[in-house]
Amino acid sequence: MLTFCPQNKSFTFSGANSPLLLNWRSAIQVEERLHEPDEVLSAPEQNCYRLIYNSLSLVWHWRVQIIKGRLILSSRLENQGEQDIALQKVYFCIAHTPCLAQAGAEVLALGSPAQAVGQVKREVRTAGADGAILESMLKFQFYERSSKLAMQIGFISFDKCHSIVEYQPDGQGGLSDVKAYCDFAGWQLAAKSSLDCELFSLAWQGSPYQQLEDWADLVAERLKPKFQSKPALGFLGWSWSILEHEQENDEEILLGNLQAINEKLPGFGFEYLWLSLANLPGGNPGDWMQWNYKRLPGGLPNLVSKLKDLGFKMGLWCAPFYLSSALTELCQHFDEALLRNPDGSPIIVCPKWRHGDAGKLPPEQRPDIYALDLTHPLTLEFIQKVFSFYRQQGVRYFMLDFLDSSSGQLGRFTYGKHFDPAVCQGPEAYRAALKLIRQTCGPDTFLLASTGPTLHSTGYFDAVRTGNDFGEGRPIYPEAFFYPASFVINSISFWTGPGSALCNAAANYYTHRKLYLNDSGNVLTVDQPLPLEDARIHASIHAFSGASSMLGDDLRFIDPERLALIKKTLPRTEACARPMDLFDLPDQASPRWFRHRVEKPWGSWEVHVFYNLSEESMRFSLPLESKSLLWEFWNQRYLGCHEECFDFDVPAGTVRIVRVASDLEQPQLLGSDMHTAMGEVELLACDWCQESESLSISATRPLGERGSIFIRVPEGMFIKNSNEFFIAKDAHEGCLIVRVPCDFSKNSQVAKRMLLGKMGLDDRPAKLSAEEQSKRFA
């Protein structure tokens, strides 16, 4: 309920069925002055308010809705005067009164920082703790753990201007000085005109998970984003190959790897080549329509043709708003279209570019990178020309990088003015440029956004990089940390390692397949000398991301055991795994527990993924809703039938994937060694018929594959056609653990039928105690 107090010109919000109480004021900043309303007229029966600013000749119209435990405030600014108004910050909420505070409280905060170079790690932190962000784009998610009170405050639209939520810790475990505002950065509201503001939102009911998921639903309902539902699978290299090894033709490496994929991974859905930098002369961003014939002598049309013959589509890395100072003619052409500092000098968004040939130069001789003005006609014409050219050439995949360079307040590089004053800095300028790129590329081109605003890219990208440069290597340059190697191992916390990847996957899970595909896995690298357990961690993160993967290994020489890890992640499930401890361990290195639910016509189960990235063994307690059967994937081990809770240890530096299914007290599926989801994608059916006492199994994998399905048969039953299966008896429960071999060498679908019977009382062997078992088998 929202009420207004005329005495102190403040609003009070009290959540229904919630102890949440928030007192706030609203104000508008013009130039350096903060204006509070001179009068507030309310129509409570219509949930409407008019905030009147006499000195500005401005009226701020509010309309309030309460929907499922969430306040949504739509508003409009009306300039009734004869002069334009240069808007700065429009404050929807300035709340000085501490909220979410009580004795012994510990408020947790999850913000949405911009994605930047190094890939900002999004994580839940204790409010005000060292390293915690105090300012977030669009929204802040708060949670007081002891009272289980969640509050989300922010905006559910981002059409025009930069929207921010910030807070200060109150020193007692709660929050104070919570502010939510839109920053127009001096954009002028013309005289006798009006503007619809961004939609303000305040949620107080439900868990923090539910509030995050509801937020994404509301944004998706507004924007109705379209994106390709099929994740992009392809080859990049960049871990051990395609790293500027001049002793070998890059084209031979590329084509050799694609041929290896066709031979070793046929039918698994790989269709893209992602070529990064090698196509650019000198590796300089900006001259996008030129080609590096030194490294790729056949040229772009020839390479596209060869890829088509192999069944692949061409993909490129591109930083569409970047311009290298080494490209002097282009810099002269775009001089008036460069973003500039207040002193008139071009903004340098990346000093001393170190990729390509520039990385071989002394630092003082390396070029700088400038940023293009997204409102300038020269920029927009160039963008359209570049992507039209690429489309004509057959390029159908782009990793669009460093988008923060020209996004103004949404990124790291703010600027004073751009060419078109009618366009607001931030979302309006940024999203207009993205719209042009998407329209020019066409809906059949897969677009991945990286190093820039994530949420603001909704609607124009198929996938958005929500994590770090996980799984990538780097060229062997003397100044690189990787030197003299191309890949870093044995460091969970390194910026290309799994620690940041898990943090970002957990913190962004709620946007997946609602706003875009979350690209939290990035590059899948599993080959030696990466340790086997690390390779399993990499594979698990990708498998449960529900999104794209580019292969980082050299497929020509990959170890067969490591190749098998890649297969176990494919095809991708639609859903990404949901974090279970995101708000339980606020200052941890990374989340540790994820859950993936599976619903099939023939059965339902959960898959729980437990990561231990620490240096010590870790104890987990898995609550069970019913009597359940547990199977562990990587070790192919039956963990038994349990009720209420299952406690187990995960060794240091490992991952465990546990399938949990209710005990149906009949022959049923335990797991599979073919896919980490254990039945979701590789099993078509697993049906028990009580009347015929038979279990019918139907499985599918690409032609030429082999694998196994594991079945549990309750105690007291036997298998009549036992010669078709591998049968073991569990010494603890007396049940049968049956391996069903599946050979797809002749057909991509395999059907099996297990015939069972009930044992008579006289046929059942007596159970042996542990002591008797020890004596018998000594």
Side-chain angles (χ1 to χ4, degrees):
M1 184 67 179
L2 185 66
T3 57
F4 177 72
C5 178
Q7 286 74 24
N8 54 19
K9 297 181 180 179
S10 68
F11 292 90
T12 298
F13 176 78
S14 57
N17 303 316
S18 169
L20 179 64
L21 184 67
L22 194 63
N23 298 306
W24 81 68
R25 296 179 299 111
S26 298
I28 296 176
Q29 181 187 358
V30 175
E31 296 180 347
E32 299 300 321
R33 182 183 171 188
L34 195 65
H35 299 259
E36 294 196 356
D38 297 291
E39 185 179 6
V40 174
L41 303 178
S42 62
E45 68 282 355
Q46 299 175 352
N47 292 320
C48 293
Y49 298 86
R50 284 199 302 159
L51 285 65
I52 301 172
Y53 300 82
N54 292 327
S55 60
L56 298 174
S57 299
L58 184 72
V59 178
W60 192 2
H61 302 268
W62 284 16
R63 182 174 182 271
V64 177
Q65 293 177 284
I66 305 295
I67 304 175
K68 295 181 180 179
R70 181 182 295 263
L71 176 148
I72 298 176
L73 193 161
S74 57
S75 65
R76 178 169 53 89
L77 288 170
E78 180 186 4
N79 182 359
Q80 298 180 340
E82 303 294 333
Q83 302 293 325
D84 297 348
I85 301 175
L87 296 171
Q88 295 294 337
K89 296 177 181 179
V90 175
Y91 289 91
F92 287 73
C93 171
I94 303 175
H96 295 300
T97 305
C99 58
L100 291 181
Q102 60 183 34
E106 182 184 43
V107 176
L108 311 179
L110 173 63
S112 302
Q115 187 191 41
V117 172
Q119 312 296 344
V120 171
K121 185 164 68 173
R122 297 163 174 82
E123 57 187 350
V124 174
R125 300 297 296 268
T126 304
D130 291 342
I133 64 168
L134 303 179
E135 180 181 296
S136 173
M137 293 199 299
L138 291 177
K139 68 183 185 313
F140 245 125
Q141 181 66 57
F142 299 110
Y143 180 60
E144 203 295 298
R145 193 158 48 187
S146 61
S147 64
K148 297 184 178 180
L149 178 62
M151 180 181 76
Q152 182 192 98
I153 184 169
F155 299 86
I156 56 174
S157 71
F158 34 85
D159 302 322
K160 184 74 176 179
C161 61
H162 185 29
S163 303
I164 302 166
V165 180
E166 62 183 46
Y167 78 94
Q168 292 294 323
D170 67 357
Q172 301 177 3
L175 312 174
S176 68
D177 290 329
V178 177
K179 299 176 182 178
Y181 58 91
C182 293
D183 190 350
F184 286 86
W187 179 83
Q188 299 212 358
L189 178 60
K192 303 298 182 180
S193 69
S194 62
L195 167 73
D196 289 333
C197 294
E198 308 297 354
L199 294 172
F200 175 72
S201 168
L202 174 64
W204 71 91
Q205 283 187 358
S207 71
Y209 298 99
Q210 189 63 56
Q211 290 179 1
L212 289 169
E213 293 164 17
D214 289 346
W215 183 90
D217 287 335
L218 289 167
V219 173
E221 184 180 346
R222 284 194 70 254
L223 295 180
K224 296 178 173 54
K226 296 180 180 180
F227 47 85
Q228 296 190 35
S229 62
K230 183 181 179 182
L233 300 177
F235 173 76
L236 170 66
W238 270 77
S239 296
W240 323 110
S241 61
I242 318 300
L243 290 169
E244 306 192 31
H245 298 315
E246 296 184 355
Q247 72 273 14
E248 189 174 5
N249 186 310
D250 283 335
E251 193 168 299
E252 293 179 2
I253 300 175
L254 292 171
L255 297 177
N257 269 277
L258 299 186
Q259 184 63 46
I261 290 174
N262 283 342
E263 294 171 358
K264 300 176 181 181
L265 293 167
F268 280 95
F270 288 92
E271 58 178 327
Y272 295 102
L273 166 67
W274 169 13
L275 187 60
S276 185
L277 285 172
N279 59 299
L280 300 177
N284 281 303
D287 204 359
W288 304 110
M289 291 179 286
Q290 299 302 311
W291 191 256
N292 189 341
Y293 288 95
K294 178 182 177 181
R295 296 186 62 182
L296 300 160
L300 178 57
N302 179 64
L303 183 54
V304 170
S305 177
K306 289 182 177 180
L307 294 185
K308 185 177 180 181
D309 291 342
L310 291 170
F312 285 84
K313 301 173 186 177
M314 186 68 193
L316 294 173
W317 173 91
C318 179
F321 311 147
Y322 260 20
L323 183 59
S324 170
S325 64
L327 305 172
T328 53
E329 290 187 10
L330 274 179
C331 287
Q332 291 175 2
H333 175 74
F334 286 105
D335 182 67
E336 64 181 81
L338 299 179
L339 293 177
R340 297 185 177 275
N341 294 304
D343 63 3
S345 62
I347 293 176
I348 296 175
V349 294
C350 181
K352 309 306 176 187
W353 180 252
R354 62 184 183 275
H355 303 288
D357 291 347
K360 303 171 186 177
L361 297 173
E364 65 275 8
Q365 297 180 21
R366 295 174 184 172
D368 296 322
I369 303 297
Y370 305 137
L372 296 174
D373 180 347
L374 300 185
T375 72
H376 200 287
L378 283 176
T379 300
L380 300 176
E381 179 186 2
F382 184 60
I383 287 174
Q384 191 168 33
K385 185 177 180 180
V386 166
F387 287 101
S388 292
F389 168 78
Y390 278 143
R391 178 160 185 83
Q392 293 169 2
Q393 295 293 315
V395 179
R396 292 297 182 269
Y397 175 96
F398 287 103
M399 190 274 211
L400 299 183
D401 208 355
F402 299 118
L403 298 175
D404 66 333
S405 58
S406 296
S407 61
Q409 300 163 304
L410 302 182
R412 296 168 292 151
F413 311 103
T414 57
Y415 56 88
K417 295 181 180 180
H418 50 217
F419 176 80
D420 188 350
V423 178
C424 193
Q425 183 183 147
E428 186 176 22
Y430 176 69
R431 288 177 58 79
L434 299 187
K435 182 178 181 180
L436 177 61
I437 292 173
R438 168 51 81 189
Q439 289 176 340
T440 308
C441 288
D444 60 335
T445 299
F446 194 99
L447 296 183
L448 167 66
S450 181
T451 317
T454 53
L455 300 170
H456 295 84
S457 298
T458 300
Y460 302 116
F461 284 93
D462 300 291
V464 171
R465 178 81 70 81
T466 54
N468 53 313
D469 287 345
F470 177 43
E472 289 189 22
R474 285 295 182 268
I476 302 177
Y477 289 159
E479 293 184 19
F481 176 85
F482 295 63
Y483 186 80
S486 63
F487 199 84
V488 171
I489 63 174
N490 298 329
S491 177
I492 295 298
S493 60
F494 191 66
W495 59 279
T496 61
S500 292
L502 284 176
C503 277
N504 290 314
N508 294 281
Y509 82 96
Y510 59 95
T511 61
H512 181 63
R513 288 194 179 273
K514 293 183 178 181
L515 308 185
Y516 36 70
L517 300 178
N518 284 8
D519 192 312
S520 56
N522 189 36
V523 176
L524 178 54
T525 299
V526 297
D527 204 8
Q528 299 167 329
L530 191 71
L532 177 58
E533 288 295 347
D534 287 18
R536 288 176 171 176
I537 290 173
H538 285 214
S540 301
I541 292 173
H542 277 259
F544 291 100
S545 71
S548 307
S549 287
M550 292 291 162
L551 299 180
D553 293 307
D554 193 325
L555 273 295
R556 299 171 298 173
F557 312 113
I558 191 170
D559 177 80
E561 182 184 24
R562 302 305 176 88
L563 179 70
L565 296 183
I566 296 174
K567 295 179 180 180
K568 296 179 191 299
T569 74
L570 299 170
R572 288 294 144 79
T573 61
E574 286 198 1
C576 67
R578 184 181 190 266
M580 299 299 289
D581 56 359
L582 182 59
F583 294 93
D584 292 329
L585 301 167
D587 298 322
Q588 61 184 310
S590 62
R592 307 183 301 199
W593 178 14
F594 291 76
R595 182 195 67 203
H596 176 67
R597 280 181 169 164
V598 181
E599 295 284 344
K600 306 293 284 187
W602 47 269
S604 61
W605 63 92
E606 294 182 346
V607 179
H608 293 262
V609 191
F610 300 93
Y611 297 92
N612 181 4
L613 304 187
S614 73
E615 297 180 357
E616 297 180 354
S617 179
M618 191 174 293
R619 188 79 166 170
F620 285 92
S621 183
L622 175 60
L624 303 171
E625 295 181 358
S626 62
K627 185 180 178 183
S628 302
L629 308 179
L630 279 64
W631 180 266
E632 202 282 308
F633 178 78
W634 287 120
N635 293 299
Q636 299 301 314
R637 182 180 180 184
Y638 177 53
L639 301 178
C641 181
H642 299 272
E643 295 184 80
E644 295 184 0
C645 187
F646 176 64
D647 297 324
F648 66 106
D649 296 311
V650 176
T654 67
V655 58
R656 294 292 182 262
I657 303 175
V658 180
R659 185 182 188 274
V660 179
S662 295
D663 182 10
L664 303 177
E665 298 183 349
Q666 65 187 34
Q668 67 183 94
L669 177 69
L670 278 178
S672 152
D673 67 357
M674 293 179 277
H675 195 282
T676 53
M678 291 177 276
E680 181 176 5
V681 298
E682 77 278 30
L683 260 68
L684 302 175
C686 187
D687 294 313
W688 166 249
C689 178
Q690 182 66 43
E691 184 178 357
S692 62
E693 292 191 321
S694 64
L695 186 70
S696 298
I697 303 166
S698 179
T700 181
R701 288 302 266 170
L703 201 64
E705 292 299 308
R706 291 172 180 260
S708 297
I709 297 165
F710 300 93
I711 303 295
R712 180 185 184 271
V713 177
E715 182 185 18
M717 300 188 77
F718 69 96
I719 300 174
K720 296 178 180 179
N721 53 336
S722 58
N723 61 320
E724 299 179 28
F725 309 101
F726 297 82
I727 307 170
K729 180 179 179 179
D730 182 78
H732 298 286
E733 299 177 3
C735 61
L736 303 181
I737 307 300
V738 185
R739 174 182 162 231
V740 181
C742 297
D743 185 351
F744 303 93
S745 58
K746 296 181 180 180
N747 199 308
S748 60
Q749 291 189 17
V750 169
K752 298 280 186 174
R753 189 164 184 242
M754 186 182 296
L755 305 177
L756 295 108
K758 292 186 173 66
M759 298 172 62
L761 293 177
D762 296 336
D763 298 326
R764 299 188 185 186
K767 286 188 178 180
L768 301 179
S769 66
E771 182 179 356
E772 289 171 326
Q773 292 180 40
S774 178
K775 289 179 180 179
R776 175 166 294 191
F777 296 108

